[in-house]
């Protein structure tokens, strides 16, 4: 077997796979359709729909050109002789002609769609299904999606490098390699129909990743579509949509050790003494910047530390923290869990932790819910 032919085929297959499936390496070096044709595509933020109409056309042409690129490379490296001997001269010519005609056809289709103002493009055909008394043309539908995409309150969920789900105030858009799937939230409902978990750990450590399959159903004549997401994105999904979401009875969400601990942590902290905040305004949590700071570290425990060495050093005693309320209970719980021995989860509730700011030692009994005094 010709060594040049085998080596070239192997290298071309690997490069093609990485390009089509958009591996992290190719993204980092800029070998993607979005980066290579950015001057033609424009900015996604400026015209979301037209950007993806153009991108799907370019992607289709490039992917259909892969066989042509393979045979062109064979000719350059003088390795086509083995292919000719294997299949015969006529077969070689027919395959070469087919590999050339397919991308040429796709190119002419692109030119025709451009001349027709994209009205025959499959994405535009989907947009036309959402025309109504308020949005009388596909361009009006496109304008509605574009304007909402420009707003800062949109949510974008990724699952791999080839698919993302865009959630705006009124639209649900699944962005794929060759297509867009659309739904208006007023007419849609979501069903979490299945879930699967995978252990991606190595070297004896278990790291479980869960994916959920969400079916988006809506009332007009367009087809339903399925979205595959990381399970930890489900909370963001629920917060970003106002249409009903149903979780099938057979779906059970996997909880990590930290998530299980956080639920117990929050329940226990609710029973701790409260801290009355007398300041003018409670600041946002410096950990997540999305919730108000609602816990304060104040020593209430009867510290029975015997100062026995822990990892070669005496165990510090709990003290009152001098910091003002800076953290929400979720972030404080996550911080507490992150400072524990990850292999001894049964000891977490009785363990101690340093304040994330001043390093004052505290335990779970010292985490106090913050309350505001009644100023009336």
């Amino acid at each position: 077997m010709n060594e040049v032919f085998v080596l070239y085929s192997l290298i071309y297959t690997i490069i093609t796979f990485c390009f089509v499936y958009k591996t992290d390496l190719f993204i980092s070096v800029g070998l993607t359709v979005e980066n290579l044709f950015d001057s033609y595509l424009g900015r996604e933020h400026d015209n979301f729909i037209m950007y993806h109409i153009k991108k799907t056309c370019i992607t289709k042409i490039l992917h259909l050109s892969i066989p042509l690129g393979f045979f062109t490379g064979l000719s350059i490296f003088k390795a086509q002789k083995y292919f000719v001997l294997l299949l015969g001269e006529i077969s070689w010519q027919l395959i070469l002609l087919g590999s050339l005609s397919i991308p040429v056809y796709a190119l002419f289709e692109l030119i025709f769609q451009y001349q027709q103002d994209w009205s025959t493009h499959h994405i535009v055909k989907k947009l036309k299904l959402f025309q109504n008394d308020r949005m009388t043309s596909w361009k009006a539908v496109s304008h509605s999606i574009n304007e909402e995409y420009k707003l800062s309150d949109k949510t974008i969920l990724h699952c791999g490098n080839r698919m993302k789900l865009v959630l705006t105030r009124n639209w649900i858009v699944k962005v794929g390699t060759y297509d867009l799937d659309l739904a208006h939230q007023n007419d849609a409902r979501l069903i979490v129909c299945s879930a699967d978990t995978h252990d991606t750990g190595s070297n004896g450590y278990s790291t479980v990743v869960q994916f959920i399959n969400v079916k988006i159903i809506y009332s007009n004549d367009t087809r339903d579509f399925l979205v595959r997401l990381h399970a930890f994105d489900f909370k963001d999904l629920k917060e970003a949509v106002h249409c009903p979401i149903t979780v099938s009875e057979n779906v059970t969400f996997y909880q990590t050790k930290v998530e299980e601990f956080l639920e117990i942590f929050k329940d226990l902290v609710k029973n701790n003494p409260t801290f009355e905040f007398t300041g003018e305004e409670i600041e946002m949590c410096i950990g997540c910047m999305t919730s108000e700071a609602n816990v304060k570290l104040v020593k209430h425990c009867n510290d029975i530390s015997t100062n026995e060495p822990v990892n070669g050093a005496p165990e510090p005693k709990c003290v009152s923290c001098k910091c003002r309320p800076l953290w929400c209970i979720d972030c404080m719980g996550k911080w507490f869990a992150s400072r524990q021995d990850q292999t001894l989860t049964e000891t977490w509730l009785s363990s101690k932790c340093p304040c994330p700011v001043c390093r004052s030692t505290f335990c779970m009994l010292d985490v106090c819910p913050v309350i505001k005094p009644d100023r009336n």
Side-chain angles (χ1 to χ4, degrees):
M1 184 177 288
N2 188 289
E3 294 181 356
V4 176
F5 174 81
V6 174
L7 180 62
Y8 168 76
S9 300
L10 179 61
I11 294 175
Y12 189 85
T13 300
I14 294 174
I15 293 175
T16 300
F17 177 87
C18 294
F19 180 75
V20 171
Y21 286 91
K22 298 175 69 174
T23 61
D24 292 336
L25 175 61
F26 270 47
I27 291 175
S28 64
V29 298
L31 292 177
T32 61
V33 173
E34 295 87 343
N35 188 65
L36 295 173
F37 295 89
D38 62 333
S39 59
Y40 171 70
L41 296 176
R43 294 178 65 229
E44 185 182 40
H45 182 269
D46 295 337
N47 195 331
F48 177 79
I49 293 296
M50 187 53 62
Y51 176 91
H52 285 285
I53 288 176
K54 293 179 179 178
K55 184 175 78 72
T56 54
C57 291
I58 295 297
T59 303
K60 181 179 177 181
I61 292 174
L62 288 178
H63 289 184
L64 290 175
S65 299
I66 288 174
L68 178 62
F70 176 78
F71 294 120
T72 301
L74 282 180
S75 300
I76 293 174
F77 290 101
K78 309 296 184 184
Q80 78 278 12
K81 295 180 180 179
Y82 179 81
F83 200 93
V84 174
L85 291 174
L86 186 66
L87 297 179
E89 185 71 30
I90 299 298
S91 297
W92 160 263
Q93 293 176 353
L94 291 176
I95 294 175
L96 187 60
L97 179 62
S99 67
L100 175 62
S101 60
I102 293 175
V104 169
Y105 172 79
L107 178 60
F108 277 107
E109 184 182 40
L110 169 62
I111 296 173
F112 175 77
Q113 291 174 343
Y114 174 77
Q115 292 175 339
Q116 298 295 316
D117 196 22
W118 306 106
S119 61
T120 59
H121 194 277
H122 59 277
I123 292 179
V124 173
K125 291 179 180 179
K126 291 183 178 181
L127 293 173
K128 290 179 179 179
L129 296 172
F130 293 92
Q131 294 177 196
N132 52 37
D133 295 337
R134 187 173 59 87
M135 296 180 292
T136 57
S137 68
W138 72 266
K139 290 186 177 181
V141 179
S142 172
H143 178 74
S144 173
I145 299 173
N146 292 340
E147 291 304 305
E148 290 191 16
Y149 186 78
K150 293 177 182 178
L151 301 176
S152 60
D153 61 352
K154 65 179 177 292
T155 299
I156 300 177
L157 305 177
H158 293 266
C159 189
N161 296 326
R162 302 178 68 224
M163 191 282 288
K164 67 180 179 181
L165 187 68
V166 178
L167 306 167
T168 68
R169 292 179 179 178
N170 293 295
W171 293 95
I172 301 174
V173 185
K174 175 187 175 183
V175 179
T177 302
Y178 308 108
D179 200 3
L180 291 183
D181 287 305
L182 307 157
H184 197 282
Q185 292 199 41
N186 289 344
D187 302 317
R189 58 189 178 94
L190 280 59
I191 299 178
V192 182
C193 51
S194 62
D196 52 279
T197 57
H198 306 272
D199 191 341
T200 60
S202 59
N203 298 325
Y205 293 96
S206 177
T207 304
V208 177
V209 177
Q210 185 179 43
F211 297 92
I212 56 174
N213 297 307
V214 182
K215 189 174 185 180
I216 300 173
I217 304 173
Y218 41 101
S219 59
N220 62 16
D221 295 331
T222 55
R223 63 183 178 85
D224 306 335
F225 57 93
L226 195 69
V227 176
R228 182 173 173 83
L229 297 171
H230 289 285
F232 57 70
D233 286 330
F234 183 63
K235 180 181 178 182
D236 294 329
L237 176 66
K238 289 195 299 183
E239 293 176 350
V241 299
H242 53 74
C243 50
I245 301 178
T246 303
V247 179
S248 300
E249 294 182 356
N250 63 319
V251 175
T252 301
F253 285 93
Y254 173 81
Q255 283 190 311
T256 64
K257 293 179 180 178
V258 173
E259 290 171 336
E260 292 177 353
F261 169 79
L262 190 58
E263 288 188 1
I264 300 173
F265 180 89
K266 292 163 70 173
D267 287 338
L268 294 177
V269 168
K270 289 178 183 178
N271 298 321
N272 288 348
T274 58
F275 174 82
E276 188 175 278
F277 179 75
T278 57
E280 291 297 327
E281 184 178 356
I282 296 181
E283 300 177 5
M284 301 300 288
C285 169
I286 63 175
C288 62
M289 296 303 292
T290 58
S291 303
E292 281 190 345
N294 55 19
V295 291
K296 172 75 169 72
L297 302 179
V298 182
K299 185 178 183 301
H300 286 288
C301 66
N302 295 320
D303 194 346
I304 58 173
S305 173
T306 59
N307 287 333
E308 293 180 357
V310 176
N311 294 328
E315 182 183 25
K317 292 186 177 183
C318 294
V319 295
S320 287
C321 172
K322 302 300 182 182
C323 300
R324 64 184 186 277
L326 294 173
W327 302 84
C328 68
I329 190 170
D330 286 336
C331 290
M332 184 61 74
K334 292 175 183 177
W335 166 259
F336 192 97
S338 70
R339 304 293 295 180
Q340 308 308 316
D341 187 336
Q342 301 301 303
T343 62
L344 298 174
T345 55
E346 65 276 6
T347 67
W348 287 9
L349 293 176
S350 59
S351 297
K352 299 178 181 181
C353 176
C355 167
V357 178
C358 70
R359 302 303 178 184
S360 298
T361 301
F362 70 96
C363 65
M364 288 190 57
L365 296 175
D366 303 327
V367 183
C368 302
V370 172
I371 60 171
K372 298 180 183 179
D374 188 359
R375 300 181 184 278
N376 295 331

